[in-house]
Each structure stands twice: as structure tokens, then as C-alpha cells.
Amino acid sequence: MRKKLLLGNWKMNKTREETKVFALGSLALSALAELHGIDIGVAPAYLSLPVVKKYNPNLLVASQNVHYQPSGAYTGEISIAMLKEINITWAIIGHSERRTYDNETSERCNLKIKALLANEMTPVYCVGETLAQFEKNETKKVIKEQISAGFSEISSENAAKVVVAYEPVWSIGTGRNASSEIAQDVCSYIRGLLREKYGEVAEQIRILYGGSVKPENIKTYLSTADIDGALVGGASLSIESFKELINNMI
Ligand code: PGA
């Protein structure tokens, strides 16, 4: 049985002070989520990672990115050792905004995923097609490439520890969420690809949907066979809306 997961991706939002207010406000939500067997967490900006840890140690905390090299001349980057030092054990990899603005490729994502797994950390690997690819009916072709490259040279034991997030690029921040039928179809396709490679282990891998998830629509995704949770941007920023998301997952 896969545990449900709600992960808020804060992107470049919230100062440390705003993060503190949210973290304190989320203490009761962590207790609620635990009671119902749901994992909840947020991915704040780097500077706010320790703030969440400090004010709500029960919230799962993810970095929004990480470099695959242990250290070196990579201006503006952050290493796994730096995250581990402050007890951050999760990282989002390959978010579409990083693929779009920072030339993140699936091959680079694979290096990052391998580095994280070698350090017993949890990668949340994002995949998804652009609007042009969606309209050309290329979704599954794109997803296949992204899954195949991202999971290259990863053992089945390690694959079980990866979380996959299907986020169609055309649905991120647009208010145009993919229907639960489309999302389930793609997530089931992803699980099928993982089953081809890893057999039964694929049943353990959590797959999230992301893209304009709101309290009003989260339930429809969670009631499908292959969607185990959500990666949420805008609707994860206010504590009220985050609480509604959790309530509607229960
Ligand atoms: P959104 O973002 O919920 O604001 O569409 C989702 C994401 O980028 O992960």
C-alpha cells in the first residue's frame, strides 16, 4: 500500500519570516496528516529550509534542486553535503521550470537522482510534456524518454525510493489542470514503464500529479488507481489552502 503524499512546491516565494509563520501554522496539520497516514511536506527556497525544520520538525522538507557533483566550481549551486548537514533528505529534480529556464535535461536529472540515492536521499523526479507536445499527441513519447533517461542505471532497490511527479507543463500555474482521466492515463503509463524495467517494485513507487491542483480538484486525482498524491505550487502557499488540500485528501 503506497502512502499518500502532498508536497508543496513554493518556488521563489516566501521570506524566512513568512516561512516561520507557515511552519508554526502547520504543526496541527502534521498531526492531522499523521493521524490519517498521509505524508505532507514543502519545498521552500534554500534559505528557508532550516526555518521549516526548526519550527515544524514533523513536516517533510525538500530542496527544489541540488547539484550532482560533491563540491567544486559551480557558482550558484548547492551540494548534497550542504543539504545533509541541515538534515534535508528530499530534493525535487527536473521541475519543468528548471528544464525551461536552466536547461535541465533528463540526463542531468539522472546524475542528480543517482547522487541523491547514493546518499540515501529521496528524489522527486518531475516529468511532463509541453503544450505543443500535448497538442501533437506526443505525451507518451516524451514521458517514455524522460522516464527512461531519468531511471538509467538505477537498481530496483533504489528505484523503489524515487517519487515520480507527472506535471504537464501546460497545466503548471495556468489554472488549466489536466483532467483526472488524462492524469491517471499518463500515471498508469509511467507505472507500466517502471513495471517493464523493475517488475513488482513498480507497485511501490509513488507517483504524484501536479499542475493547477487546488482544494476543489485534489480528490478527483487521489481517487484514481495510480496517482498517490500531489505536487502543488500556488495552492500550497497559504496555510488555509494547504489545510483544505489535506482535508480533501482524507
Ligand atoms: P501549480 O504548480 O500548482 O501552481 O500549477 C505546480 C508545480 O509547479 O509543481
Side-chain angles (χ1 to χ4, degrees), residues 180-192:
S180 57
E181 289 77 19
I182 292 181
Q184 160 59 21
D185 183 45
V186 178
C187 290
S188 143
Y189 178 69
I190 292 172
R191 199 174 304 287

Side-chain angles (χ1 to χ4, degrees), residues 131-203:
L131 181 60
Q133 291 164 336
F134 175 71
E135 286 174 342
K136 278 194 271 171
N137 219 0
E138 289 175 356
T139 300
K140 290 186 178 168
K141 176 175 161 273
V142 171
I143 295 292
K144 190 173 186 174
E145 284 163 8
Q146 291 173 336
I147 290 290
S148 153
F151 279 86
S152 171
E153 297 172 346
I154 290 174
S155 68
S156 57
E157 192 193 327
N158 272 335
K161 299 172 192 156
V162 179
V163 175
V164 178
Y166 168 55
E167 298 203 306
V169 180
W170 47 271
S171 74
I172 297 177
T174 58
R176 184 182 169 192
N177 57 304
S179 68
S180 57
E181 289 77 19
I182 292 181
Q184 160 59 21
D185 183 45
V186 178
C187 290
S188 143
Y189 178 69
I190 292 172
R191 199 174 304 287
L193 293 172
L194 295 170
R195 201 178 289 121
E196 272 172 30
K197 183 160 182 180
Y198 298 114
E200 282 306 298
V201 167
E203 309 309 321

Side-chain angles (χ1 to χ4, degrees), residues 3-20:
K3 202 172 177 190
K4 289 180 195 171
L5 169 62
L6 173 66
L7 187 60
N9 174 14
W10 287 355
K11 312 187 180 189
M12 198 173 69
N13 291 294
K14 288 197 194 293
T15 61
R16 285 162 62 90
E17 194 51 42
E18 289 162 345
T19 300
K20 177 181 171 182

Side-chain angles (χ1 to χ4, degrees), residues 68 93-96 98-100 102-114 125-129 133 141-154 165:
Y68 57 88
I93 298 300
H95 187 277
S96 74
R98 293 203 55 81
R99 289 183 188 257
T100 305
D102 298 280
N103 299 321
E104 187 93 297
T105 62
S106 296
E107 288 67 31
R108 268 177 79 93
C109 290
N110 175 247
L111 295 173
K112 295 179 178 196
I113 293 169
K114 285 192 285 198
Y125 178 48
C126 301
V127 297
E129 80 286 5
Q133 291 164 336
K141 176 175 161 273
V142 171
I143 295 292
K144 190 173 186 174
E145 284 163 8
Q146 291 173 336
I147 290 290
S148 153
F151 279 86
S152 171
E153 297 172 346
I154 290 174

Side-chain angles (χ1 to χ4, degrees), residues 4-6 38 218 222 229 244-250:
K4 289 180 195 171
L5 169 62
L6 173 66
I38 301 174
I218 194 166
L222 269 293
E244 282 300 294
L245 287 165
I246 299 166
N247 277 332
N248 293 342
M249 281 176 84
I250 294 169

